[in-house]
Amino acid sequence: MFENASRPDLTYAPLDRAAHLRDDPAALDAMRGRPDARALPFAKRDLLLNGERYERLGWTALDDPLVTGAELIFLGLEDSAPRYAAMLEETEAPAGGTFIEMRTAILSGDFGGENAATASGALAMVNWHRTHGRCARCGEATAMTQGGWRRDCAACGATHFPRTDPVVIMMIERDGHCALARNVNFPDNLFSCIAGFVEPGECVEEAVRRESFEELGLTLGRVAYASSQPWPFPMSLMMGCIAETTDEAFTLEAAEIAEARWLDRDGVRRMLAGDIPDMMAPRKAAIAGTLLRDWLEGRIGWT
Ligand SMILES: [Zn+2]
């Protein structure tokens, strides 16, 4: 644990989740009738902005025709006023509004801060509902309950809860250098920390060791948690770790990794500044960027 590790983007959304209200049907009903209740509309997976400025989320009153009849997910309270995500089918924005694709907006670096954190949590819930309309046990249709925090199957009685998929992402250091890799699926020249899904039966540290060996051929010494980031594309939790190795030679997993390099701190600094022509740095909003900056500035790591 590194107590000075930075908080990645998309974390610490300012809403009070008010989870105790989710299983209180009378309270949920009463909140929907409040004049200060607002919903954040998603057309499929695209977020409504009021205008074109990222700081103006498209919060909409519940009696607005845009959200009337839409399924609502209770996100929590903002100064005691209820907040929802509204799941819309149509993609035509109301007058003055714009629907945006959030991944592009977040990676551009223009959409961040508290609003992006709130919208990201909402999007992860929308993504879950949109892909879990049928019961995983019996295949019948399920219905939203608990303000959107559960789906129930009337046919077999199964209950289904929102899902988060754990992913490990690791900054590997060796004697003042850090390993950066270009995935075969990355856009041109983008180098980043390697990452992979945690598999059933693994703890976080085991997943980090396995991925490092599989993708780069590196055997690790210490592994430690640094920070984490919810990443709603569609519903992951990126668990950022730092690890050390004494191995220098890479053995690349050809199907995944096109190239890997060791950079010292000066190299990382130059890459982040855009001064290495054939290496594009991870985007600022992604946790890989947070891990690199934290390592560069001594907030995480051992060397
Ligand atoms: Zn069922």
Side-chain angles (χ1 to χ4, degrees):
M1 188 76 189
F2 301 97
E3 59 192 20
N4 294 321
S6 301
R7 290 179 175 182
D9 275 15
L10 312 185
T11 60
Y12 292 91
L15 291 184
D16 168 8
R17 290 171 176 254
H20 63 286
L21 298 175
R22 295 173 189 164
D23 59 0
D24 184 341
L28 289 174
D29 278 350
M31 284 192 297
R32 286 195 181 210
R34 287 177 52 151
D36 58 357
R38 295 287 181 276
L40 194 54
F42 285 84
K44 306 287 188 191
R45 291 170 169 79
D46 290 350
L47 165 72
L48 181 67
L49 297 183
N50 183 6
E52 294 188 347
R53 290 165 51 194
Y54 288 117
E55 63 267 33
R56 298 185 64 183
L57 298 182
W59 292 112
T60 302
L62 298 195
D63 59 1
D64 188 297
L66 181 69
V67 299
T68 310
E71 282 205 289
L72 298 180
I73 302 161
F74 175 58
L75 300 177
L77 304 173
E78 181 179 10
D79 297 333
S80 84
R83 296 289 178 260
Y84 301 86
M87 293 171 49
L88 311 186
E89 296 307 318
E90 70 262 38
T91 53
E92 190 171 334
T98 314
F99 280 111
I100 62 158
E101 198 275 304
M102 278 183 52
R103 191 170 190 278
T104 307
I106 287 168
L107 287 176
S108 75
D110 295 331
F111 184 34
E114 292 186 342
N115 280 343
T118 298
S120 292
L123 176 61
M125 290 295 286
V126 167
N127 284 338
W128 178 68
H129 282 288
R130 287 204 175 277
T131 50
H132 289 76
R134 296 216 160 254
C135 177
R137 185 197 280 173
C138 78
E140 292 297 318
T142 58
M144 193 187 278
T145 57
Q146 303 232 329
W149 291 86
R150 206 173 85 189
R151 295 190 73 90
D152 291 357
C153 176
C156 78
T159 54
H160 302 280
F161 292 90
R163 166 179 153 178
T164 295
D165 297 328
V167 175
V168 286
I169 179 164
M170 64 225 69
M171 218 233 68
I172 303 170
E173 66 175 8
R174 177 191 60 80
D175 190 24
H177 293 67
C178 119
L180 288 155
R182 186 163 64 80
N183 190 286
V184 293
N185 297 315
F186 282 174
D188 296 345
N189 294 337
L190 173 62
F191 279 77
S192 188
C193 303
I194 63 165
F197 285 102
V198 180
E199 295 187 346
E202 282 183 326
C203 68
V204 169
E205 292 85 349
E206 285 177 287
V208 168
R209 292 178 193 283
R210 177 181 52 74
E211 288 287 342
S212 298
F213 188 74
E214 283 176 4
E215 298 199 353
L216 299 180
L218 302 176
T219 300
L220 301 180
R222 282 178 287 190
V223 173
Y225 169 82
S227 56
S228 63
Q229 179 182 49
W231 189 249
F233 309 105
M235 50 194 118
S236 294
L237 175 66
M238 308 295 292
M239 292 184 290
C241 294
I242 183 159
E244 63 177 1
T245 185
T246 54
D247 295 346
E248 183 169 1
F250 295 116
T251 304
L252 303 185
E253 184 179 31
E256 286 261 346
I257 305 295
E259 188 185 352
R261 298 183 192 179
W262 291 109
L263 288 190
D264 63 10
R265 280 187 166 77
D266 186 53
V268 171
R269 199 173 287 115
R270 288 192 298 122
M271 181 184 72
L272 292 176
D275 289 342
I276 303 183
D278 64 345
M279 291 183 86
M280 188 170 108
R283 261 64 73 91
K284 186 171 175 295
I287 190 173
T290 310
L291 294 173
L292 288 175
R293 288 190 300 276
D294 274 4
W295 177 72
L296 196 57
E297 291 159 22
R299 289 186 288 273
I300 63 172
W302 301 285
T303 66

Short mmCIF file of all heavy atoms in Angstrom, two decimals, residues 9 15 19-20 33 44 58 65 81 83 112 134 148-149 153 180-181 189 205 208 240 250 257 272 280 285 287 293:
data_model
loop_
_atom_site.label_atom_id
_atom_site.label_comp_id
_atom_site.label_asym_id
_atom_site.label_seq_id
_atom_site.Cartn_x
_atom_site.Cartn_y
_atom_site.Cartn_z
N ASP A 9 -8.68 9.08 -12.38
CA ASP A 9 -9.94 9.65 -12.87
C ASP A 9 -11.07 8.64 -12.71
O ASP A 9 -10.83 7.43 -12.60
CB ASP A 9 -9.80 10.00 -14.36
CG ASP A 9 -9.19 11.37 -14.56
OD1 ASP A 9 -8.63 11.92 -13.59
OD2 ASP A 9 -9.25 11.90 -15.69
N LEU A 15 -21.94 11.52 -5.52
CA LEU A 15 -23.27 11.10 -5.07
C LEU A 15 -23.20 10.23 -3.81
O LEU A 15 -22.28 9.42 -3.66
CB LEU A 15 -23.97 10.29 -6.15
CG LEU A 15 -24.42 11.02 -7.42
CD1 LEU A 15 -25.17 10.06 -8.33
CD2 LEU A 15 -25.28 12.22 -7.08
N ALA A 19 -27.66 3.34 -0.27
CA ALA A 19 -28.02 1.95 -0.56
C ALA A 19 -29.16 1.44 0.33
O ALA A 19 -29.89 0.53 -0.06
CB ALA A 19 -26.78 1.06 -0.41
N HIS A 20 -29.32 2.05 1.50
CA HIS A 20 -30.38 1.59 2.40
C HIS A 20 -31.77 1.84 1.82
O HIS A 20 -32.74 1.24 2.27
CB HIS A 20 -30.24 2.27 3.76
CG HIS A 20 -30.41 3.76 3.70
ND1 HIS A 20 -29.43 4.60 3.17
CD2 HIS A 20 -31.43 4.56 4.07
CE1 HIS A 20 -29.85 5.85 3.23
NE2 HIS A 20 -31.07 5.86 3.76
N GLY A 33 -41.49 10.95 -7.03
CA GLY A 33 -42.45 12.04 -7.10
C GLY A 33 -41.87 13.39 -6.72
O GLY A 33 -42.57 14.41 -6.76
N LYS A 44 -29.20 4.27 -25.63
CA LYS A 44 -28.36 3.07 -25.64
C LYS A 44 -27.24 3.28 -24.62
O LYS A 44 -27.48 3.27 -23.44
CB LYS A 44 -27.81 2.75 -27.02
CG LYS A 44 -28.87 2.65 -28.10
CD LYS A 44 -29.69 1.39 -27.98
CE LYS A 44 -30.60 1.24 -29.21
NZ LYS A 44 -31.60 0.19 -29.02
N GLY A 58 -26.60 16.18 -18.80
CA GLY A 58 -27.98 16.45 -19.20
C GLY A 58 -29.03 16.02 -18.21
O GLY A 58 -30.00 15.35 -18.57
N PRO A 65 -40.86 14.75 -21.13
CA PRO A 65 -41.23 13.66 -22.06
C PRO A 65 -40.03 12.80 -22.48
O PRO A 65 -40.21 11.63 -22.81
CB PRO A 65 -41.80 14.41 -23.27
CG PRO A 65 -42.22 15.73 -22.74
CD PRO A 65 -41.33 16.06 -21.59
N ALA A 81 -31.38 15.16 -2.97
CA ALA A 81 -32.24 15.07 -4.16
C ALA A 81 -31.91 13.79 -4.94
O ALA A 81 -30.74 13.52 -5.20
CB ALA A 81 -32.03 16.29 -5.05
N ARG A 83 -31.19 11.04 -7.74
CA ARG A 83 -30.55 11.06 -9.06
C ARG A 83 -30.66 9.68 -9.69
O ARG A 83 -30.42 8.66 -9.03
CB ARG A 83 -29.08 11.47 -8.94
CG ARG A 83 -28.89 12.90 -8.42
CD ARG A 83 -29.29 13.91 -9.47
NE ARG A 83 -29.17 15.29 -9.03
CZ ARG A 83 -30.18 16.05 -8.62
NH1 ARG A 83 -31.41 15.55 -8.54
NH2 ARG A 83 -29.98 17.29 -8.26
N GLY A 112 -13.56 14.82 -17.66
CA GLY A 112 -13.01 14.23 -16.44
C GLY A 112 -13.70 14.82 -15.22
O GLY A 112 -14.77 15.42 -15.32
N ARG A 134 -31.93 -11.37 -19.59
CA ARG A 134 -32.40 -12.75 -19.46
C ARG A 134 -31.67 -13.45 -18.32
O ARG A 134 -30.51 -13.17 -18.03
CB ARG A 134 -32.20 -13.53 -20.76
CG ARG A 134 -33.03 -12.96 -21.89
CD ARG A 134 -33.56 -14.02 -22.84
NE ARG A 134 -34.69 -13.48 -23.57
CZ ARG A 134 -35.97 -13.80 -23.33
NH1 ARG A 134 -36.27 -14.69 -22.40
NH2 ARG A 134 -36.94 -13.27 -24.03
N GLY A 148 -32.96 -0.80 -9.37
CA GLY A 148 -32.01 -1.08 -10.45
C GLY A 148 -30.77 -1.83 -9.98
O GLY A 148 -29.91 -2.14 -10.79
N TRP A 149 -30.72 -2.15 -8.69
CA TRP A 149 -29.52 -2.79 -8.15
C TRP A 149 -29.66 -4.31 -8.07
O TRP A 149 -28.84 -5.00 -7.49
CB TRP A 149 -29.15 -2.18 -6.80
CG TRP A 149 -28.68 -0.78 -7.03
CD1 TRP A 149 -29.46 0.33 -7.13
CD2 TRP A 149 -27.34 -0.36 -7.32
NE1 TRP A 149 -28.68 1.43 -7.44
CE2 TRP A 149 -27.38 1.02 -7.55
CE3 TRP A 149 -26.11 -1.02 -7.39
CZ2 TRP A 149 -26.23 1.76 -7.87
CZ3 TRP A 149 -24.98 -0.29 -7.69
CH2 TRP A 149 -25.05 1.09 -7.92
N CYS A 153 -35.70 -13.00 -11.56
CA CYS A 153 -36.34 -13.88 -12.52
C CYS A 153 -37.60 -14.46 -11.89
O CYS A 153 -37.51 -15.19 -10.90
CB CYS A 153 -35.39 -15.00 -12.93
SG CYS A 153 -36.17 -16.20 -14.04
N LEU A 180 7.19 -1.12 -20.67
CA LEU A 180 6.04 -0.63 -21.42
C LEU A 180 5.88 -1.49 -22.66
O LEU A 180 6.87 -1.88 -23.28
CB LEU A 180 6.27 0.83 -21.82
CG LEU A 180 6.18 1.77 -20.62
CD1 LEU A 180 6.97 3.02 -20.84
CD2 LEU A 180 4.72 2.08 -20.32
N ALA A 181 4.64 -1.77 -22.99
CA ALA A 181 4.39 -2.71 -24.09
C ALA A 181 3.36 -2.15 -25.04
O ALA A 181 2.47 -1.37 -24.66
CB ALA A 181 3.92 -4.05 -23.54
N ASN A 189 1.65 2.98 -32.23
CA ASN A 189 2.69 3.48 -31.33
C ASN A 189 2.28 3.68 -29.87
O ASN A 189 3.04 4.23 -29.10
CB ASN A 189 3.28 4.80 -31.84
CG ASN A 189 4.03 4.61 -33.13
OD1 ASN A 189 4.49 3.50 -33.42
ND2 ASN A 189 4.17 5.66 -33.92
N GLU A 205 -2.60 -10.66 -6.83
CA GLU A 205 -1.16 -10.82 -7.03
C GLU A 205 -0.85 -11.99 -7.98
O GLU A 205 0.07 -11.90 -8.80
CB GLU A 205 -0.47 -11.05 -5.68
CG GLU A 205 -0.48 -9.84 -4.77
CD GLU A 205 -1.75 -9.72 -3.94
OE1 GLU A 205 -2.73 -10.45 -4.21
OE2 GLU A 205 -1.77 -8.89 -3.03
N VAL A 208 -1.41 -10.80 -11.49
CA VAL A 208 -0.31 -9.94 -11.94
C VAL A 208 0.89 -10.79 -12.35
O VAL A 208 1.50 -10.58 -13.41
CB VAL A 208 0.09 -8.95 -10.82
CG1 VAL A 208 1.40 -8.25 -11.15
CG2 VAL A 208 -1.03 -7.93 -10.59
N GLY A 240 -4.80 -1.37 -10.28
CA GLY A 240 -3.44 -0.97 -10.63
C GLY A 240 -2.44 -1.45 -9.60
O GLY A 240 -2.60 -1.21 -8.39
N PHE A 250 12.87 -9.69 -22.46
CA PHE A 250 11.45 -9.97 -22.68
C PHE A 250 11.29 -11.23 -23.53
O PHE A 250 12.04 -11.45 -24.47
CB PHE A 250 10.78 -8.82 -23.43
CG PHE A 250 10.73 -7.52 -22.69
CD1 PHE A 250 11.42 -6.40 -23.16
CD2 PHE A 250 9.97 -7.40 -21.53
CE1 PHE A 250 11.36 -5.19 -22.49
CE2 PHE A 250 9.91 -6.18 -20.85
CZ PHE A 250 10.61 -5.08 -21.33
N ILE A 257 1.28 -9.15 -27.72
CA ILE A 257 2.22 -8.04 -27.56
C ILE A 257 3.11 -7.92 -28.80
O ILE A 257 3.79 -8.87 -29.18
CB ILE A 257 3.12 -8.26 -26.32
CG1 ILE A 257 2.25 -8.49 -25.06
CG2 ILE A 257 4.06 -7.08 -26.11
CD1 ILE A 257 1.41 -7.30 -24.64
N LEU A 272 5.86 10.76 -21.79
CA LEU A 272 4.64 11.46 -21.35
C LEU A 272 4.57 12.86 -21.95
O LEU A 272 3.47 13.39 -22.17
CB LEU A 272 4.59 11.53 -19.81
CG LEU A 272 4.39 10.20 -19.09
CD1 LEU A 272 4.47 10.39 -17.57
CD2 LEU A 272 3.04 9.57 -19.45
N MET A 280 3.76 6.55 -28.20
CA MET A 280 2.66 7.38 -27.71
C MET A 280 2.33 6.92 -26.29
O MET A 280 2.23 5.72 -26.03
CB MET A 280 1.45 7.21 -28.62
CG MET A 280 0.31 8.14 -28.33
SD MET A 280 -0.91 7.99 -29.68
CE MET A 280 -2.20 7.13 -28.82
N ALA A 285 -6.37 10.05 -18.77
CA ALA A 285 -7.51 9.61 -17.96
C ALA A 285 -7.43 8.14 -17.59
O ALA A 285 -8.11 7.69 -16.68
CB ALA A 285 -8.81 9.87 -18.71
N ILE A 287 -5.84 4.65 -16.08
CA ILE A 287 -5.04 4.42 -14.87
C ILE A 287 -3.58 4.15 -15.21
O ILE A 287 -2.69 4.42 -14.38
CB ILE A 287 -5.65 3.29 -14.01
CG1 ILE A 287 -4.95 3.24 -12.65
CG2 ILE A 287 -5.62 1.97 -14.73
CD1 ILE A 287 -5.56 2.28 -11.66
N ARG A 293 2.84 8.22 -13.83
CA ARG A 293 3.17 9.51 -13.18
C ARG A 293 3.50 9.31 -11.71
O ARG A 293 4.41 9.94 -11.17
CB ARG A 293 2.01 10.50 -13.36
CG ARG A 293 1.87 11.04 -14.79
CD ARG A 293 0.88 12.19 -14.86
NE ARG A 293 -0.45 11.80 -14.43
CZ ARG A 293 -1.35 11.20 -15.23
NH1 ARG A 293 -1.05 10.98 -16.50
NH2 ARG A 293 -2.54 10.85 -14.77
#
